[in-house]
Amino acid sequence: MFFIILGLLFRIIHLQSIEKNDPTFYSLPSGTDMVTYDAQAQDILKGKHPAPYYYCPLYSYFLSFIYFFFGHNLYIARLIQMLLGVFTCLFIYFIANIVFGSRIALISLFLSIIYDMFLIHEGLILLESFSVFLNTASLFFILRLEKERKLKNIILSGLFLGLSALTRATALFFLPFILLWMLKSSRLKASGSRLIRFAFLCLITFLTISPATIMNYIASKKFILISTNGPVNLWIGNNEKANGRYLQPLPSHNLEKRLEEIGDRAYIEEVLRFIKEKPKKFIALLLTKFFFFWDNYEDINNVNYGQVKGYSPLLKLPFFIGFGVIAPLAFLGICLSFRRNALLLHLFFLSYIIILIAFFVTGRHRLVVVPVMVIFSSFAISWIYDKVKEAEYKKLAFSFFPLLLGIILGWKNDIYANFVPIIYQDGFHIKEEKEITIKDTSEEWRGQNCLVLNRGTKCKKEIVIEEDLLKFKEISLKFKYGTLPNTIVELKINESPSSAIDFPYTKGLINPYTCFVDKGILKNGVNSFVFEVKEGTLAIPYDTTYTFGRSYEFRDGDFKKIKKGEFLVELSLKK
């Protein structure tokens, strides 16, 4: 009971903090799924159903249900999600108790309460926390079939699995794994045919889904089980320009033509062509996505996690943990628990890692498998404690290797990042046919942090040029920024006279900016670029992947290096 009260208290504190500090709490950030879900929910109340459904529809109907009783109240919507989050923690406890016993269940409950991404997503108008709740509930009721082979457990299992699929259709991929578990489980042999029970579970699942299927048919006169975005998402994750994350390229002329001819099947056709023509690249892409799954990094997809943590002082406390802690322990727990009665948890994990790698990997999409990873992490902690207590050091030594592998999988980029400033002392000089880009940052905005500069404050970025500047016709400075209205910044390059930039208001977004630089004011070696705010507010994002020590904040009368990371500032040299 103490842990439940603690989890509820954490959620109330977090909710109050983000309401007070987050400027997008009541004005959702434009261009995100949050705006889409919110708008669909309001349309549903007006009788406008978004069928045929592009997104899985349940979350929008869930929001509309809240709006029906409480009005368009984003505070209440987030509060209800946080209450469901407490129940998610309870379901994690119940699942762990069934599979591993009460001690591991308590550890799982505690870890779920201090897992930061659960709190963050429960405070967002996104479907992830709702999906995690439904999936965890379905897993709990499926597990109960072993102990209580009652009709109500089959009905509840199918109901929650169907609701999960209406939130994210990938939940249906778990069905064949449930059948495998039923066939393998010795505890299910005693009561009737397992195939009949599985068939009834499927019946309840698809009956739960059927209203969406019917609505889709009425709207389009086509059979669409749940939503239409499956083919395009498969293509986004598997094409020549795919990087393993959510990155939607522009369709080729041929693909556009085929879309007009055969519709969304063209996306599947394009994926099959990619696999057939470039199998090695496809396999390399699958491996990249596998490594992305284990990475401790939470990539930006509709939400800047660094900013959310900045709005909530609670999440800055040192005992809150992230994926980087859970993943290595879960990897160890998975390896150690194969001989335990944990087959369904292993199959659940396997089904979701397969479906994520088949599409693309983001922090949002892998959240659904974290409850099971928390349980495996708890098993690993309990196992290590027992072996230390029993002085079984040989077994502890054996466990070191999977734990080390899990740490490498989760932290490989951070480990490598420590060596990058030594290997590339002058930063990255990326050479293309007619252009060289000089920068100190990665391809991703890791850390998702910004240095906020108000009137009279400034920062400095140093860039090392080793090229012959006379060989280039055009040089431009590129950087990312965010501003409030009426922001004017002076840019001073080396010792040249400063130039004023009147930035447009970015409306809470981080935008790119490019300005041309006279190569006469640049030099070989270290070049300094000083940004000083004359009016308004400027946010300069910095990437925490690598630290070269060439980004500075002006404070206490002098420029001082930021502790970790580099500003997203780069030079482009064109021939």
Side-chain angles (χ1 to χ4, degrees), residues 33 121 126 245-246 298-305 360 362-365 448:
D33 290 348
H121 275 281
L126 289 172
R245 304 286 193 193
Y246 181 88
E298 302 283 355
D299 64 309
I300 299 175
N301 185 281
N302 278 262
V303 57
N304 184 326
Y305 297 112
F360 46 80
T362 71
R364 283 178 62 193
H365 291 85
Q448 305 158 2

Side-chain angles (χ1 to χ4, degrees), residues 60-186:
S60 295
Y61 282 94
F62 168 71
L63 286 178
S64 70
F65 181 80
I66 295 171
Y67 295 168
F68 178 79
F69 286 101
F70 300 100
H72 184 230
N73 192 324
L74 296 177
Y75 182 93
I76 294 295
R78 297 173 203 261
L79 176 61
I80 291 174
Q81 288 183 169
M82 289 186 173
L83 293 175
L84 291 179
V86 174
F87 281 100
T88 297
C89 296
L90 274 173
F91 278 125
I92 291 171
Y93 170 84
F94 292 142
I95 292 168
N97 191 43
I98 291 172
V99 177
F100 292 123
S102 59
R103 183 172 69 176
I104 293 169
L106 279 172
I107 299 171
S108 299
L109 177 59
F110 177 68
L111 292 182
S112 65
I113 286 170
I114 62 171
Y115 187 69
D116 57 5
M117 285 297 127
F118 284 164
L119 267 76
I120 287 173
H121 275 281
E122 288 161 21
L124 298 170
I125 306 300
L126 289 172
L127 62 80
E128 272 64 39
S129 65
F130 188 53
S131 175
V132 168
F133 164 73
L134 293 172
N135 271 277
T136 311
S138 69
L139 188 59
F140 166 70
F141 286 111
I142 293 167
L143 274 170
R144 280 177 64 88
L145 290 173
E146 279 194 323
K147 288 190 175 181
E148 297 181 20
R149 292 179 286 274
K150 295 180 179 179
L151 181 62
K152 70 174 184 178
N153 285 330
I154 298 178
I155 292 173
L156 288 171
S157 299
L159 175 66
F160 276 103
L161 189 60
L163 293 174
S164 298
L166 287 172
T167 309
R168 277 214 190 279
T170 48
L172 292 178
F173 188 67
F174 185 43
L175 274 172
F177 293 87
I178 296 173
L179 175 60
L180 179 60
W181 170 73
M182 285 184 165
L183 295 174
K184 289 284 185 179
S185 175
S186 60

Side-chain angles (χ1 to χ4, degrees), residues 294-297 324 407-421 446-447 544-546 564:
W294 290 101
D295 198 349
N296 69 346
Y297 176 58
I407 291 170
I408 291 171
L409 284 171
W411 294 87
K412 61 187 179 303
N413 289 322
D414 299 80
I415 295 168
Y416 171 68
N418 290 319
F419 296 97
V420 165
R446 289 201 171 222
T544 58
T545 306
Y546 311 118
K564 185 178 181 181

Side-chain angles (χ1 to χ4, degrees), residues 33 168 227 309 387 390 414 418 429 434 456:
D33 290 348
R168 277 214 190 279
S227 62
K309 290 180 181 179
K387 300 312 165 191
E390 296 163 8
D414 299 80
N418 290 319
H429 294 245
K434 293 185 178 181

